[in-house]
Amino acid sequence: MTSRDMTTLLLEQVQKATAHNMPVTIEGQGSKRFYGHTAAENTACLQISGHSGVIEYEPGELVIRVRAGTPLADVNQLLSSNRQMLAFEPPDFENRSTMGGVIASGLSGPRRPYAGSARDFVLGVRMITGHGEVLEFGGQVMKNVAGYDVSRLVTGSLGTLGLILDVSLKVLPEPEAEVTLGLPIARQELQSRLRSMQDMFPLSAAAHQDGVLYLRLSGSEAAIQSARQKTGGEETDSGFWQKLNTLACFSSAKELWRISVAPASQIFLKEAEVIDWGGGLRWLVDPGFDPREQLAGEDGHATLVKYAEAKLPAGVELFHPLPPHVLNLHQRLKQQFDPAGVFNPGRMYRAF
Amino acid sequence: MDVDRQGFIRELREICGDNIITDRPRLRVYETDGLTAKRQVPWVVVLPSNISEVQQIARLCDSHRVPLVARGAGTGLSGGATPHAEGVLLSLARFNRILSVDSENMLAKVEPGVTNLAISEHVEHLGLYYAPDPSSQIACSIGGNVAENSGGVHCLKYGLTVHNVRKLKLVSPQGDLYEVGSEAFDSAGYDLLAVLHGSEGMLGIVVEVTVKLLAKPEAVCVVMSGFASVESAATAVGDIIATGILPAGLEMMDKPAIQAAEAFVHAGYPTDAEALLLCELDGIEAELQSQLDILQAVLQKNNALDISVAHSDADRARLWMGRKSAFPAVGRLAPDYFCMDGTIPRKQLARVLGEISELSREFGLPVANVFHAGDGNLHPLILYDANLEGDLEKAEQFGAKILELCIEVGGTITGEHGVGLEKIDQMCVQFSPAELAVFHGVKAAFDPNLILNPGKAVPTLHRCAEFGAMHVHAGQDKFPDLERF
């Protein structure tokens, strides 16, 4: 694994961008170019993939600190060789996602409902804001309430608040054993079936596609055996989760909607191509309608993840529109972190 | 304060009728929170009974630029709810209802004045509970837990408040009602839910909290063991983590804390031990026994003196009772005590405890240590007597030294109690002026007129310059641009 600290160079680039009000697109290996709005044509690219390497990793502390350009695959491999893992199971798109993008997108995999999300495991970040300074928030310890939680605010902000230099993450022990099971279950029976598993502890993923409920059990052999007696089902290919997490199972979709709702919600139960997160995440493929209209009465949100650029009506948002007061808070935070508006403008919402 | 006081109080009365306190004897009830060293009688106390009243109070305060301090149960330990002399103290005591329980989505919607423990008690019949359990859980309110991002003895495995709250309803200082977070597992836009946790009442007034509930584990056991030295207990903690077992709780106490707790609640602690470890394992029956075997082997390898395992509810409760009563138990040893809250990397434990006992000799003040060992969160309790001339100042200086030591070893000044008034000067040590400026920016985004809880949590740059002590970080003066006072 290469290790290189490019802080000084990146700082100069940010200072130059802010001094001349020149917008930049922050990019590692570009594995998430499809996610969010495309940058305007004249936008310069601020490359962070060279800023890479593990700064600190002591398995006994359950903490890893890495530079933003470090490939996710390298981190996964290092952790795995110490029987540890990133428990939020970040997707590795095209096998070239980097840690900066993992945190900036804040995406979590199938383990999310059972282990927590990306932001749940973020302990601290070092970043460059639009004021052109290197700043550190949070740290490498598990509990820290000194100052506002800027590291978690930055997680999932799609690079709009600043450039992440490095991140400290809590890691967890890898489960001793893991098995993926397939159970033939009709969609209409899915929720009652999932509900009966609410207290099933080794459960680490539950998704439904094409009449099959996929379950992943993680834990000790004994725990898995005991849970299997309750679930039934046949052992099946664990590669299912990887395909789902990286959206490979939707490769033929022209338009892909990600709908996040409370697990017991009744919405799009029938229409969803895949239901993940034990019911909480529903994927709509080429629905032919805007699902956001139907979500109006629900506590949830929809993201247009894949789309044909040419078919996108002007002014449409990809992420769920925010209520006025909340949008206003976003704009005011953006103004504070990035007064010149140079970082990934419009990537998340057109207004900032 | 440039405001017509009588007129302002008249307007408050129009909003919340008789639920207003202006007479000094009754105001004194609110003069302090759990940090009793700081006392301040508020100008006026209001106890609104619905959201609309909170909105109107906020709007009134904001338009007159009158400070507004929200308060839950007042059990906080850092002075976050200490009133403002010229301000309104808004008690959320009347917001004490559990609004709904959604067992399908495993969520409960509650008002902010509901106590932490009341939530778990309310859903117990469903086999569910709310995981974060600060030691003050019988009294502390969930709104206060959000404000401080409270932890507890189980947060190594189950996380802090921020990991267990799905959604908040808030009133902004301008009186707008809005929601952040969602009943879904994530929400659109920035993670405002995370920023609001631990924001110490500086950004908004929480009026409704949706918490995540968990299914009660099938099996639980608590293992207690004594050690002949703090070092061997600390090594055992590291070794336990290294096995790959994630304990539900992993707590340590030193000899003074063990003895105080034992004398107070008779938990059956070994009073001759230098250190005591409490390790809780939970999960499914089939898994627990093998984990227990591994744990006991680790403890024996580290020369644990006596190991006992509690399985029954009553036995486990007894062992935890000693730990959860450690603060009041230590409180019996001296007229006053100061509770510190630094967090450090676990590997630094032996060094930090060693230096704390040296400082204890230096300052001539005894100290007892209670420690969330699993996640590196220390609670040194400094014993002093406020009636002795200079004792409080000595205790404060001792505490400040401990916090600076925590920063030095790569930790933080507060793990779960918050900055409040108590640690505001140490914020200048932990953060650079540019970092503090970002915090002020966050504050301004939520509270442009700076009326919420002024003077807490984030120091002004001038305060840091005045605090002086010439904080040198990585060989550089932190405030080269500021005049010295």
Side-chain angles (χ1 to χ4, degrees):
Chain A
M1 204 185 300
T2 54
S3 183
R4 188 167 166 221
D5 186 348
M6 290 174 45
T7 302
T8 313
L9 182 68
L10 291 168
L11 183 61
E12 279 168 16
Q13 290 176 341
V14 169
Q15 285 167 343
K16 201 174 124 201
T18 53
H20 299 95
N21 285 342
M22 288 186 325
V24 291
T25 296
I26 305 167
E27 195 165 280
Q29 300 276 4
S31 74
K32 295 185 193 71
R33 268 182 208 158
F34 68 91
Y35 192 58
H37 294 285
T38 332
E41 264 172 32
N42 56 352
T43 314
C45 180
L46 215 163
Q47 253 300 328
I48 54 126
S49 57
H51 179 72
S52 70
V54 174
I55 302 168
E56 211 177 334
Y57 173 46
E58 283 184 63
E61 297 286 325
L62 299 178
V63 176
I64 190 165
R65 184 176 180 199
V66 295
R67 294 196 183 96
T70 315
L72 170 61
D74 290 2
V75 172
N76 282 338
Q77 201 184 357
L78 172 68
L79 292 174
S80 186
S81 64
N82 288 280
R83 304 196 44 79
Q84 293 187 333
M85 63 175 184
L86 295 175
F88 59 99
E89 208 177 357
D92 192 354
F93 297 108
E94 299 166 23
N95 229 352
R96 55 193 178 95
S97 290
T98 53
M99 292 308 293
V102 164
I103 299 311
S105 69
L107 294 171
S108 310
R111 203 180 296 269
R112 157 67 187 100
Y114 313 96
S117 63
R119 70 89 132 144
D120 288 339
F121 291 90
V122 169
L123 300 176
V125 296
R126 213 163 56 97
M127 66 185 293
I128 305 174
T129 62
H131 300 279
E133 284 160 314
V134 176
L135 308 175
E136 198 170 340
F137 299 101
Q140 287 79 51
V141 291
M142 299 288 159
K143 291 161 90 177
N144 190 348
V145 289
Y148 302 122
D149 198 342
V150 173
S151 10
R152 289 196 173 99
L153 173 64
V154 166
T155 308
S157 67
L158 285 179
T160 58
L161 295 175
L163 182 146
I164 299 169
L165 287 167
D166 58 62
V167 58
S168 300
L169 293 162
K170 178 178 180 178
V171 300
L172 286 184
E174 250 178 14
E176 188 184 312
E178 205 154 79
V179 64
T180 296
L181 303 170
L183 291 72
I185 285 190
R187 189 54 71 78
Q188 54 269 35
E189 290 163 34
L190 175 65
Q191 288 190 315
S192 62
R193 197 59 179 260
L194 286 170
R195 213 167 301 140
S196 72
M197 296 177 190
Q198 267 181 353
D199 57 352
M200 190 139 70
F201 287 93
L203 193 60
S204 72
H208 190 266
Q209 183 180 27
D210 293 333
V212 178
L213 171 60
Y214 294 87
L215 297 175
R216 185 174 60 192
L217 304 174
S218 308
S220 68
E221 293 285 358
I224 289 176
Q225 285 318 315
S226 129
R228 274 190 80 163
Q229 286 170 6
K230 290 179 210 157
T231 59
E234 294 297 316
E235 189 162 347
T236 182
D237 179 16
S238 64
F240 170 81
W241 304 109
Q242 167 81 355
K243 275 186 227 139
L244 174 57
N245 201 8
T246 59
L247 312 180
C249 60
F250 305 116
S251 57
S252 61
K254 290 185 191 67
E255 195 182 297
L256 180 65
W257 285 90
R258 176 190 188 275
I259 318 284
S260 181
V261 286
S265 163
Q266 295 301 310
I267 202 163
F268 304 136
L269 267 185
K270 208 165 81 211
E271 296 86 346
E273 174 93 4
V274 179
I275 295 183
D276 191 12
W277 287 5
L281 197 59
R282 301 172 190 196
W283 294 94
L284 293 181
V285 173
D286 304 326
F289 60 89
D290 187 336
R292 290 188 287 219
E293 286 158 22
Q294 293 181 46
L295 266 176
E298 290 273 328
D299 192 354
H301 65 104
T303 310
L304 182 51
V305 173
K306 270 173 82 177
Y307 54 96
E309 188 91 46
K311 283 196 175 169
L312 200 65
V316 82
E317 294 283 4
L318 300 178
F319 293 93
H320 207 90
L322 301 169
H325 185 84
V326 175
L327 176 63
N328 195 255
L329 283 173
H330 279 67
Q331 288 173 297
R332 293 205 295 239
L333 283 166
K334 169 75 174 177
Q335 174 66 28
Q336 293 289 346
F337 278 80
D338 179 19
V342 297
F343 295 116
N344 287 3
R347 175 88 187 244
M348 189 183 233
Y349 288 98
R350 294 180 186 275
F352 58 92
Chain B
M1 189 171 53
D2 194 18
V3 58
D4 165 16
R5 292 189 173 224
Q6 291 316 312
F8 188 88
I9 287 182
R10 234 182 353 258
E11 287 192 67
L12 278 180
R13 267 192 217 286
E14 275 168 30
I15 297 167
C16 46
D18 291 337
N19 297 324
I20 176 166
I21 300 171
T22 54
D23 60 302
R24 199 161 169 92
R26 288 205 296 149
L27 285 173
R28 285 203 61 169
V29 173
Y30 295 90
E31 69 177 353
T32 177
D33 65 2
L35 181 73
T36 51
K38 304 277 181 200
R39 287 171 197 273
Q40 175 62 59
V41 176
W43 173 36
V44 53
V45 173
V46 286
L47 298 106
S49 40
N50 60 52
I51 291 174
S52 160
E53 288 177 11
V54 175
Q55 289 178 275
Q56 294 172 64
I57 293 164
R59 239 172 255 140
L60 182 66
C61 289
D62 195 58
S63 63
H64 293 281
R65 307 289 189 269
V66 170
L68 179 58
V69 179
R71 175 186 173 109
T75 57
L77 294 167
S78 58
T82 308
H84 194 287
E86 310 269 271
V88 173
L89 185 85
L90 188 151
S91 164
L92 288 146
R94 287 175 198 274
F95 284 74
N96 58 0
R97 290 173 305 164
I98 293 177
L99 299 172
S100 62
V101 174
D102 174 356
S103 59
E104 288 187 1
N105 290 308
M106 299 176 74
L107 300 171
K109 196 183 284 182
V110 306
E111 292 185 330
V114 169
T115 63
N116 172 295
L117 189 63
I119 302 173
S120 289
E121 285 175 347
H122 188 80
V123 297
E124 195 180 4
H125 68 286
L126 300 166
L128 302 173
Y129 75 112
Y130 173 66
D133 59 341
S135 294
S136 55
Q137 68 184 145
I138 51 167
C140 64
S141 70
I142 190 73
N145 288 179
V146 171
E148 304 297 328
N149 192 15
S150 307
V153 299
H154 288 99
C155 54
L156 177 62
K157 184 168 180 178
Y158 296 106
L160 304 157
T161 305
V162 69
H163 302 108
N164 289 278
V165 167
R166 209 50 84 56
K167 182 175 166 178
L168 296 174
K169 193 179 272 184
L170 297 119
V171 170
S172 77
Q174 302 84 37
D176 291 320
L177 184 66
Y178 66 105
E179 290 181 347
V180 299
S182 162
E183 289 181 8
F185 289 110
D186 56 15
S187 47
Y190 294 157
D191 200 334
L192 302 182
L193 187 64
V195 179
L196 285 156
H197 276 84
S199 66
E200 305 193 20
M202 304 279 290
L203 304 182
I205 303 162
V206 174
V207 291
E208 194 178 287
V209 186
T210 303
V211 301
K212 175 174 111 176
L213 302 172
L214 296 179
K216 279 189 165 179
E218 193 178 291
V220 187
C221 69
V222 178
V223 180
M224 176 181 76
S225 50
F227 290 85
S229 73
V230 167
E231 287 74 17
S232 52
T235 313
V237 168
D239 288 354
I240 293 167
I241 301 293
T243 63
I245 295 173
L246 193 62
L250 187 52
E251 297 286 310
M252 192 194 289
M253 295 161 80
D254 71 358
K255 192 168 197 167
I258 299 168
Q259 292 181 338
E262 183 57 23
F264 189 40
V265 298
H266 312 294
Y269 291 172
T271 49
D272 54 341
E274 288 296 322
L276 177 99
L277 272 191
L278 286 172
C279 181
E280 181 166 301
L281 300 175
D282 69 2
I284 63 163
E285 204 83 61
E287 199 161 38
L288 208 65
Q289 190 53 50
S290 63
Q291 291 195 346
L292 191 55
D293 294 342
I294 296 169
L295 175 66
Q296 284 179 306
V298 170
L299 292 171
Q300 273 152 9
K301 197 193 93 194
N302 284 285
N303 306 316
L305 298 176
D306 22 24
I307 302 174
S308 63
V309 184
H311 286 282
S312 73
D313 285 357
D315 287 349
R316 284 189 286 112
R318 184 173 49 81
L319 289 184
W320 278 125
M321 176 60 96
R323 165 62 188 88
K324 290 197 174 185
S325 317
F327 290 9
V330 170
R332 302 193 325 155
L333 302 180
D336 301 280
Y337 71 89
F338 235 159
C339 172
M340 310 313 294
D341 177 43
T343 303
I344 56 169
R346 249 188 323 263
K347 63 184 171 191
Q348 301 284 1
L349 176 61
R351 172 184 162 190
V352 169
L353 290 183
E355 291 195 26
I356 288 176
S357 66
E358 230 159 79
L359 286 167
S360 166
R361 273 190 296 276
E362 209 174 286
F363 282 93
L365 295 174
V367 63
N369 282 288
V370 190
F371 181 47
H372 301 298
D375 37 38
N377 189 195
L378 287 167
H379 293 317
L381 301 162
I382 301 169
L383 306 180
Y384 70 100
D385 183 351
N387 289 324
L388 286 179
E389 176 90 26
D391 234 27
L392 171 62
E393 291 71 22
K394 262 202 299 185
E396 284 181 330
Q397 284 165 17
F398 183 1
K401 287 269 186 227
I402 294 177
L403 296 184
E404 285 157 30
L405 175 63
C406 291
I407 298 172
E408 194 188 317
V409 301
T412 176
I413 57 173
T414 174
E416 58 182 358
H417 295 170
V419 173
L421 284 174
E422 182 204 24
K423 306 174 199 80
I424 195 152
D425 288 334
Q426 281 71 40
M427 286 290 285
C428 312
V429 187
Q430 186 162 342
F431 295 100
S432 72
E435 287 154 359
L436 293 173
V438 169
F439 294 148
H440 289 299
V442 172
K443 168 75 171 169
F446 282 87
D447 178 17
N449 295 320
L450 313 178
I451 64 152
L452 294 176
N453 221 2
K456 312 273 181 70
V458 184
T460 62
L461 298 186
H462 276 275
R463 187 186 173 113
C464 287
E466 270 185 273
F467 171 60
M470 296 302 122
H471 300 294
V472 176
H473 184 69
Q476 284 183 322
D477 189 335
K478 278 209 163 189
F479 301 96
D481 308 331
L482 280 176
E483 273 179 62
R484 295 293 160 196
F485 291 79

